[in-house]
Amino acid sequence: MSGLDNIKPIHNWFSKKLDTHPIVISGPCSAESEEQLVSTAKALSDTKQVQIFRAGVWKPRTRPNSFEGRGLDALQWLNTVKQETGLLTMVEVAAPKHVEMCLRHNVDILWVGARTTSNPFSVQELASALQGMNVPVMVKNPINPDINLWIGALERIHKAGISKLAAIHRGFYPFEKTILRNIPKWEIPIELKSRFHNLPIICDPSHIAGSRKYIHEMAQKAMDLNMDGLMIESHICPEEALSDPDQQLTPEDLNQLLRGLVCRLHVVGDEEIDQLVKFRSQIDSVDAQLIELLAQRMNIVEEIGEYKKEKNMTILQLQRWEKVRERGVDLAKSLGLSEKFITQLLRMIHKEAILRQNEVMNRK
């Protein structure tokens, strides 16, 4: 198989239909005890909104003395969860032995964590262990914002014959300090979807937020972007959780959050389509004008490059760049545009102008 073709829609993965939108995956960060697991699962099942129960069985921790999961015992508890609630079960795997143990204990769905996705060697080992299996697999984005690393992990799993495949967007580790645990960088899952239209994408607002108070906002953003589902951590008593207590919701709070989400229409009627066509035609016209103006600007840039070459002047003129930026920001503010957006745009244009002038200056 090449690329990510032949991927099956997530709603057709099981004989038991997953016919709600969004698909909701929930459960505790870690499986701590059978009582904790079963009581959480029963409460989630009672909400009638959760289809898949997730739990961390092996926890990849930064520090060796942190809680690292219950392993085999937890897999047996998950079987009890299935028997008593009817929920599908889902577990993170990071090594071939994890795959083997999960399949032996009838786990329904496997997921590949962000740390594992970041290592192609580890992903390939998992892919080899999955060869010929029919189990659904979800792949979280890598820790750093590298879309090709994410795609590569998905492709390795798909090449092993896994057609029940999905991506999980859980955000990216921030270099700078932010209010969120991980920066979402929504443009990356959007780009992933634009390249692979049939690939389901699940959002993990718990790991993006890192705090209960931001989970609803991140979940709503995912719904606005038409993601296929949500993975939200839930614990029967979050304050007593052995891992990530701040980002886990009680089942009751999760139920309230899900009921408060606004799910946008993906399929609309003829009247709405006609109006969208008009708006999009206007945008296409403006975009064409923007591109033509940029081409004109670059033609002038090259003329400036020729002049600087003739006069033996340096390419970079910092004072001029500062004036261009300040003037652009002032105009943008007066027109209601974001200062951050226009600054980024001007920097990109300036960078291209520098490259164009450099080509002219070094042209023989």
Side-chain angles (χ1 to χ4, degrees):
M1 301 178 196
S2 61
L4 293 174
D5 53 0
N6 196 34
I7 294 175
K8 294 184 179 179
I10 194 169
H11 294 88
N12 298 336
W13 283 6
F14 304 96
S15 56
K16 172 186 177 180
K17 292 292 184 182
L18 300 175
D19 54 2
T20 60
H21 181 77
I23 299 295
V24 179
I25 304 165
S26 189
C29 175
S30 305
E32 301 163 0
S33 69
E34 184 172 17
E35 180 183 358
Q36 169 249 2
L37 215 59
V38 173
S39 59
T40 302
K42 286 182 175 179
L44 290 173
S45 179
D46 289 343
T47 69
K48 308 299 183 185
Q49 299 196 75
V50 176
Q51 300 88 32
I52 302 168
F53 184 77
R54 57 139 289 157
V57 172
W58 301 279
K59 299 299 296 179
R61 311 301 300 199
T62 302
R63 302 292 294 276
N65 293 326
S66 303
F67 175 67
E68 296 183 332
R70 300 298 189 195
L72 181 59
D73 287 343
L75 293 177
Q76 295 169 343
W77 302 336
L78 283 171
N79 265 329
T80 304
V81 165
K82 289 181 68 169
Q83 293 167 7
E84 297 197 12
T85 67
L87 293 172
L88 298 167
T89 55
M90 183 171 174
V91 168
E92 178 180 355
V93 292
K97 66 177 182 180
H98 295 165
V99 174
E100 179 188 348
M101 294 171 71
C102 283
L103 296 183
R104 199 187 320 141
H105 286 82
N106 302 312
V107 173
D108 296 294
I109 304 170
L110 308 180
W111 91 78
V112 180
R115 298 175 191 232
T116 306
T117 303
S118 300
N119 186 339
F121 291 109
S122 297
V123 175
Q124 187 55 55
E125 288 180 355
L126 290 177
S128 298
L130 288 162
Q131 190 74 44
M133 302 297 178
N134 191 37
V135 62
V137 179
M138 298 190 185
V139 180
K140 287 196 172 186
N141 61 255
I143 293 172
N144 55 312
D146 185 339
I147 190 171
N148 289 320
L149 198 57
W150 198 2
I151 292 171
L154 288 159
E155 287 178 331
R156 288 176 188 275
I157 301 297
H158 188 244
K159 194 175 179 180
I162 301 297
S163 59
K164 298 173 182 176
L165 188 64
I168 301 176
H169 172 232
R170 48 85 75 193
F172 304 89
Y173 184 79
F175 175 75
E176 68 283 2
K177 185 177 178 59
T178 72
I179 60 171
L180 301 174
R181 177 176 178 178
N182 292 300
I183 50 176
K185 294 190 74 69
W186 300 104
E187 65 271 21
I188 293 182
I190 290 172
E191 176 63 20
L192 184 67
K193 192 70 170 180
S194 70
R195 295 192 197 183
F196 307 103
H197 297 178
N198 295 328
L199 178 70
I201 300 183
I202 306 295
C203 181
D204 178 351
S206 301
H207 277 86
I208 293 175
S211 170
R212 281 183 281 276
K213 63 182 177 180
Y214 300 119
I215 293 176
H216 184 277
E217 179 184 349
M218 296 300 107
Q220 184 61 64
K221 180 67 173 180
M223 291 298 92
D224 293 345
L225 293 174
N226 196 34
M227 292 195 180
D228 298 271
L230 299 168
M231 177 190 274
I232 302 178
E233 291 186 349
S234 179
H235 191 292
I236 198 68
C237 187
E239 293 76 13
E240 297 179 5
L242 299 180
S243 58
D244 292 341
D246 294 337
Q247 67 186 41
Q248 298 190 67
L249 301 172
T250 65
E252 294 79 10
D253 287 342
L254 174 67
N255 188 39
Q256 185 176 353
L257 182 150
L258 293 172
R259 291 185 181 281
L261 287 179
V262 178
C263 294
R264 313 293 181 187
L265 292 174
H266 178 55
V267 179
V268 295
D270 292 341
E271 182 179 344
E272 289 85 359
I273 289 175
D274 289 342
Q275 187 59 52
L276 280 174
V277 168
K278 291 178 183 177
F279 287 139
R280 288 167 178 170
S281 295
Q282 293 173 358
I283 286 178
D284 290 344
S285 175
V286 172
D287 285 348
Q289 294 175 61
L290 282 172
I291 293 169
E292 290 170 0
L293 287 171
L294 284 170
Q296 292 178 30
R297 191 185 196 282
M298 292 306 160
N299 288 336
I300 298 171
V301 162
E302 292 194 5
E303 291 180 12
I304 292 172
E306 293 284 1
Y307 182 79
K308 288 179 178 177
K309 181 179 180 180
E310 179 185 340
K311 300 298 182 182
N312 198 29
M313 298 169 62
T314 60
I315 294 174
L316 183 60
Q317 304 282 330
L318 282 175
Q319 289 183 338
R320 167 62 182 166
W321 156 240
E322 286 299 325
K323 286 182 179 178
V324 168
R325 189 188 63 79
E326 289 173 8
R327 189 178 301 143
V329 168
D330 289 342
L331 179 58
K333 285 181 177 178
S334 70
L335 296 173
L337 293 173
S338 159
E339 178 178 350
K340 180 180 179 181
F341 164 70
I342 204 65
T343 299
Q344 290 175 336
L345 179 61
L346 289 172
R347 280 176 178 160
M348 290 175 63
I349 293 172
H350 184 245
K351 181 180 178 180
E352 178 65 16
I354 294 293
L355 292 174
R356 289 289 187 98
Q357 289 188 33
N358 188 60
E359 288 177 6
V360 171
M361 296 280 271
N362 292 283
R363 190 181 296 158
K364 293 183 180 179

